[in-house]
Structures are given as C-alpha cells and as structure tokens.
Amino acid sequence: MKIYTASQLAKQLGVTPQTITRNAALHGIGSKIGAAWLFQPGDIRKMRHVLDENYKRDFARMGRAAMAKRWHGKEV
C-alpha cells in the first residue's frame, strides 16, 4: 500500500500543502504522525470530495457582482 505525504498529495490534486493539511485536520482525513500528515489511497478520494465541495460552496455564497469580480474571462 502506498503512503503519500501532504506535499505529494497537494501536487497530485493541484493545491497547496497548507490546503491539504487544513482540510485533513478539519475533516479527519489521513493520519498525523509527529509533524507530518500521511495519507493512504482511500484518503485521496475523500480529500478530492472535500476540495470539490469547498469550491462549490465558495461560489455559491457569492452574489453575482462578487463572482464577476473574482472570475476573469480571457481577453480577446
């Protein structure tokens, strides 16, 4: 069974290691051994779900004007 560190998991999911450790602590994902967080393959699926829900929630809370400020389309 493969074990991943927070930085390896962050690179795989395209987020920062701080995002991984924060969500791991908040949602009880992975194991904290000393100062390091370790994740098993089953934890990756849980973390993806949490990150997807966080993304949806951030945009759902915003009004149309706030979303327009944050979302920048491509300039032609």
Side-chain angles (χ1 to χ4, degrees), residues 8-30:
Q8 290 171 333
L9 188 59
K11 188 180 284 187
Q12 186 175 355
L13 297 177
V15 295
T16 64
Q18 291 81 8
T19 300
I20 296 295
T21 56
R22 182 182 68 237
N23 283 307
L26 287 174
H27 299 283
I29 302 171

Side-chain angles (χ1 to χ4, degrees), residues 10-62:
K11 188 180 284 187
Q12 186 175 355
L13 297 177
V15 295
T16 64
Q18 291 81 8
T19 300
I20 296 295
T21 56
R22 182 182 68 237
N23 283 307
L26 287 174
H27 299 283
I29 302 171
S31 302
K32 186 170 183 180
I33 310 290
W37 281 90
L38 301 177
F39 302 93
Q40 297 178 358
D43 296 328
I44 295 171
R45 183 175 26 87
K46 293 176 190 174
M47 187 62 73
R48 260 196 195 115
H49 178 73
V50 167
L51 293 173
D52 287 344
E53 290 300 315
N54 288 348
Y55 180 78
K56 290 176 192 172
R57 186 181 69 231
D58 287 347
F59 278 109
R61 255 194 249 162
M62 291 183 197

